[in-house]
Amino acid sequence: MKYLYLLLCTLLGFDVMAQTSQPSEFTQIRQELQKKWPDNRTVNLVFHGHSVPSGYANTPNVKTLQAYPHQVLEAVKEMYPYAVVNSITTSIGGENAEQGAKRFRQEVLPHHPDVLFIDYALNDRSIGLERAQKAWEKMIKEAQKQHIKVILLTPTPDLTEDISDDNSPLEQHSRQIRHLAHDYKTGLIDSYATFKEKRKNGEDLKMYMSQSNHPNEKGHHVVAGLILNYFFDEAKWNEYHQKQTMKIMKKVADWQLMNFENQVRKGSRWANSHAYWAWTNATMYIGMAEWAEMSDDPKYWDFLLTIGEKNQWQTGPSIYFADDICIIQPYAMLFNKYKEPHMIKKSVETLDTLIANPRHNSLSYYADGSHSRWCWCDALFMAPTSFARIGKTTGEPKYFEFMDKEFRITYDSLYSATDSLFFRDTRYINMREQNGEKVFWGRGNGWVTGALTFIIDHMSAQHPSRTFYISLFRQMMKKISKLQDKQGFWHSSLLDITSYPMPEASASGFFTYSLFWGLNHGYLEKEEYLPIAEKAWNALVSVVHEDGKIGYVQPIGADPKKVDMNDTEVYGTGAFLLAATEYVKYLKHTK
């Protein structure tokens, strides 16, 4: 919330904001909302305006329950369960402020608003600034005579206008509304400035619109979030974000369960890419297990148990191929919950065989037998973390000794100390992107930072190599944080955003997870990294489809590729659930 104040002050000028009614001045309304029967009373929120608060989507279709008045009501009721709250919409599609002012006394004031919202600017272009100002002033004065708290809204976008134009009609009306809020000391919801900032940061505003001048549910959610600053203090926001994040996690997890078998059957051009034991699914299982730990619904653990039984608790066919042993990680997580020895018996045998019969092949990608070692950076997520989990579970140091030795060999082969990033494999060391930069794959480095969190988490505090992994984690996150785009995403190619302008959700998911994990464990400084992490989380949520599908996930591959909102993969779900888990933990720690 403090960040919002700073943003608005920056956008509008401090003097204007200082003179408007701030959310902190709504303490009385918040107190009323907290009262229990028989001391409580009805609190009326009245939304007066045109088609947007009415809920128009694609004219003439009206989606009342997706519009911001209803979203505000839902959120307020969730956080104030004892309150009696009415959300009353007196808006009429196609109406301007003059028309709204004419019926104000007869159709608005009789509802006895505690808080009145006015939103007319989109249609006020037809009557001009002067006539609009007189109409707004009339409504504000009449409301304030009745001691009603008033909040003015600047418009949501109209895609037929250039929102970046500082002299567009909507910008002129927005400026006028800001001055009205200043002059009459009302509240202000600057929707236009918020969407303008999103466009400035590279977002496509079409994703927030159902048609050129009507927001979709996601667009209304933006406005509702701004309004809720008048009803939630920081503690309430914290609690609300926890609940909302859990809802999103459930939606994502449920979509994954519903679509899992189809993804297994569909597979890809890569053999065994979606087998029940495959690395793709194993990554998703890890995120799903973290969600299962938070959820009170046993179906997620049941799903994971079913997978273990289908696999007969075995790894993939090639124990020396890192991807084929990633499945050990969810097995270890299931064992830690259920304590059934058969769940990790075969995993322990597999890792013991690897330790007893190590390979000594070159890590040069095309060398004979190179893939029996960890010769590509994603392998660091697949294999070392499996050794770390079994090492922690059994208490046997040999697993960490083997892991540490092999990890450092891969580190020496693929890590660029100059860039604080990993090459995907030796083929990429001398490759260059179109802009002349080195090729550093987004998800490839996401695999590594995710792996480092698991290794550090499971390694004994007394282990002599632990400081190496912590130092490496900090080096990488410092560099990666500087590569975040304006929206909060990372891209398929970390150093060539021009060639790959679209976001990439699996890399962004792993980096978001790593940021919040680092903050939660004290390895990253809050002042420097929290704004980056929160921006990343908000960006990540924006690629979740309404049904829970994660978009912008690069398909299976070894290098940067172009993606779009409809591209998804199981490991994208896993990365998202990991990120969400750490975000919820962060919110709980900051109560």
Side-chain angles (χ1 to χ4, degrees):
M1 190 166 66
K2 290 179 180 177
Y3 171 75
L4 176 66
Y5 293 158
L6 293 172
L7 171 63
L8 290 177
C9 287
T10 300
L11 291 170
L12 310 181
F14 180 79
D15 291 339
V16 172
M17 284 304 298
Q19 296 301 316
T20 59
S21 177
Q22 297 286 359
S24 59
E25 297 173 31
F26 278 61
T27 303
Q28 182 181 353
I29 297 295
R30 294 176 185 172
Q31 290 173 343
E32 286 293 336
L33 292 170
Q34 292 181 48
K35 290 180 180 178
K36 300 180 182 179
W37 182 88
D39 298 319
N40 58 349
R41 66 171 179 81
T42 301
V43 175
N44 292 326
L45 310 180
V46 177
F47 297 86
H48 191 49
H50 48 42
S51 56
V52 173
S54 302
Y56 280 82
N58 295 92
T59 307
N61 189 18
V62 182
K63 295 188 175 181
T64 305
L65 300 184
Q66 292 183 6
Y68 69 75
H70 186 79
Q71 290 190 27
V72 169
L73 175 63
E74 278 194 318
V76 169
K77 277 302 304 169
E78 183 169 18
M79 300 311 300
Y80 298 100
Y82 307 112
V84 179
V85 186
N86 287 331
S87 174
I88 303 163
T89 303
T90 58
S91 303
I92 294 178
E95 189 173 74
N96 60 46
E98 280 186 337
Q99 295 166 318
K102 285 179 182 178
R103 60 186 181 87
F104 192 74
R105 288 185 182 178
Q106 290 74 31
E107 298 186 26
V108 178
L109 293 182
H111 290 294
H112 304 290
D114 289 282
V115 184
L116 171 68
F117 300 85
I118 302 177
D119 182 359
Y120 271 112
L122 275 175
N123 291 347
D124 282 350
R125 289 173 292 179
S126 65
I127 60 174
L129 290 166
E130 184 176 349
R131 289 166 60 185
Q133 180 173 335
K134 289 179 181 179
W136 283 66
E137 287 182 327
K138 180 182 178 182
M139 290 185 283
I140 293 167
K141 289 176 182 178
E142 289 184 355
Q144 290 184 334
K145 282 181 184 178
Q146 303 296 323
H147 305 291
I148 297 167
K149 292 190 177 296
V150 179
I151 298 177
L152 310 182
L153 285 86
T154 61
T156 50
D158 184 335
L159 298 181
T160 64
E161 275 195 19
D162 181 5
I163 198 169
S164 62
D165 181 358
D166 291 337
N167 290 307
S168 69
L170 283 181
E171 181 57 59
Q172 292 179 45
H173 280 273
S174 294
R175 281 199 294 266
Q176 180 164 278
I177 293 166
R178 293 168 195 143
H179 286 296
L180 287 170
H182 168 266
D183 293 343
Y184 290 93
K185 296 180 175 57
T186 71
L188 175 67
I189 301 300
D190 204 339
S191 307
Y192 200 72
T194 301
F195 283 104
K196 191 170 187 173
E197 186 70 11
K198 287 180 177 295
R199 180 67 186 87
K200 182 180 177 182
N201 289 339
E203 290 193 56
D204 184 354
L205 295 187
K206 289 180 181 178
M207 68 187 296
Y208 295 100
M209 307 299 289
S210 60
Q211 65 181 67
S212 64
N213 62 341
H214 289 150
N216 58 19
E217 185 174 9
K218 187 174 289 188
H220 279 282
H221 186 71
V222 172
V223 181
L226 297 173
I227 291 172
L228 291 174
N229 282 293
Y230 285 89
F231 298 94
F232 295 170
D233 58 18
E234 289 191 54
K236 284 290 184 189
W237 264 122
N238 189 304
E239 184 181 352
Y240 179 70
H241 282 317
Q242 288 183 53
K243 290 183 176 182
Q244 290 301 107
T245 303
M246 298 279 279
K247 286 181 180 179
I248 295 170
M249 293 176 77
K250 176 175 171 53
K251 182 186 288 189
V252 169
D254 287 350
W255 181 91
Q256 186 59 75
L257 293 191
M258 186 178 299
N259 290 274
F260 177 66
E261 290 297 334
N262 288 335
Q263 290 172 300
V264 170
R265 285 192 292 271
K266 181 180 178 182
S268 76
R269 67 186 181 90
W270 304 91
N272 294 322
S273 64
H274 289 78
Y276 293 118
W277 48 260
W279 61 273
T280 52
N281 288 322
T283 305
M284 182 268 286
Y285 303 151
I286 295 166
M288 191 68 72
E290 292 289 357
W291 162 239
E293 192 68 36
M294 281 190 171
S295 173
D296 57 3
D297 191 333
K299 71 179 180 182
Y300 306 106
W301 284 120
D302 291 344
F303 165 74
L304 294 169
L305 286 169
T306 299
I307 295 298
E309 294 298 335
K310 283 183 177 180
N311 289 336
Q312 296 182 321
W313 306 98
Q314 295 183 27
T315 61
S318 177
I319 67 171
Y320 284 96
F321 186 47
D323 288 354
D324 286 9
I325 65 171
C326 186
I327 190 66
I328 290 174
Q329 295 186 65
Y331 292 166
M333 297 172 83
L334 286 163
F335 171 80
N336 289 336
K337 177 174 177 61
Y338 293 104
K339 307 301 181 185
E340 295 288 344
H342 72 276
M343 294 178 174
I344 61 167
K345 181 177 182 294
K346 293 174 182 176
S347 296
V348 170
E349 291 172 355
T350 294
L351 298 189
D352 284 350
T353 300
L354 284 167
I355 293 171
N357 302 278
R359 293 292 190 256
H360 303 286
N361 307 74
S362 167
L363 269 65
S364 179
Y365 193 80
Y366 290 119
D368 184 42
S370 62
H371 282 61
S372 64
R373 308 285 298 280
W374 305 337
C375 73
W376 67 108
C377 70
D378 353 355
L380 296 178
F381 182 91
M382 312 304 165
T385 47
S386 297
F387 279 90
R389 289 183 188 273
I390 294 299
K392 176 76 176 288
T393 299
T394 63
E396 291 283 347
K398 64 181 180 181
Y399 300 106
F400 287 104
E401 291 171 7
F402 183 87
M403 179 216 75
D404 188 35
K405 176 177 68 72
E406 291 295 319
F407 188 106
R408 286 174 182 263
I409 291 170
T410 303
Y411 168 87
D412 290 339
S413 175
L414 301 180
Y415 185 65
S416 171
T418 303
D419 302 285
S420 299
L421 296 169
F422 276 80
F423 293 106
R424 197 275 177 177
D425 56 63
T426 56
R427 295 175 298 171
Y428 292 89
I429 293 175
N430 295 315
M431 285 188 188
R432 295 295 180 267
E433 294 285 12
Q434 290 185 24
N435 64 358
E437 294 286 352
K438 298 173 186 176
V439 181
F440 288 113
W441 184 29
R443 184 166 71 236
N445 281 276
W447 289 126
V448 179
T449 62
L452 290 171
T453 69
F454 298 151
I455 292 169
I456 296 166
D457 252 347
H458 291 81
M459 184 175 272
S460 166
Q462 289 73 43
H463 196 288
S465 290
R466 195 164 184 268
T467 55
F468 163 78
Y469 293 103
I470 294 171
S471 176
L472 178 58
F473 175 78
R474 285 173 167 158
Q475 289 170 27
M476 292 189 69
M477 295 315 300
K478 190 170 189 66
K479 175 69 173 185
I480 285 163
S481 295
K482 293 176 182 177
L483 301 176
Q484 185 183 44
D485 72 13
K486 291 180 180 180
Q487 292 176 248
F489 290 109
W490 287 265
H491 295 242
S492 296
S493 178
L494 291 175
L495 303 186
D496 188 4
I497 293 179
T498 302
S499 297
Y500 302 91
M502 67 296 297
E504 204 288 297
S506 58
S508 297
F510 279 123
F511 293 148
T512 305
Y513 159 72
S514 300
L515 283 162
F516 278 111
W517 180 90
L519 288 164
N520 288 337
H521 289 77
Y523 298 125
L524 299 178
E525 295 76 18
K526 183 176 179 180
E527 183 177 343
E528 180 179 354
Y529 289 97
L530 179 58
I532 298 166
E534 289 183 327
K535 189 175 183 179
W537 170 250
N538 291 331
L540 202 58
V541 170
S542 74
V543 300
V544 179
H545 289 242
E546 289 186 15
D547 60 1
K549 172 183 173 181
I550 307 293
Y552 284 109
V553 182
Q554 183 185 335
I556 299 170
D559 54 3
K561 291 288 189 298
K562 295 183 178 181
V563 292
D564 64 34
M565 186 64 172
N566 291 313
D567 288 324
T568 195
E569 260 295 356
V570 284
Y571 43 75
T573 299
F576 181 90
L577 292 175
L578 284 169
T581 298
E582 286 300 317
Y583 179 53
V584 170
K585 289 177 182 177
Y586 173 80
L587 292 171
K588 288 181 177 179
H589 294 161
T590 55
K591 276 188 176 182

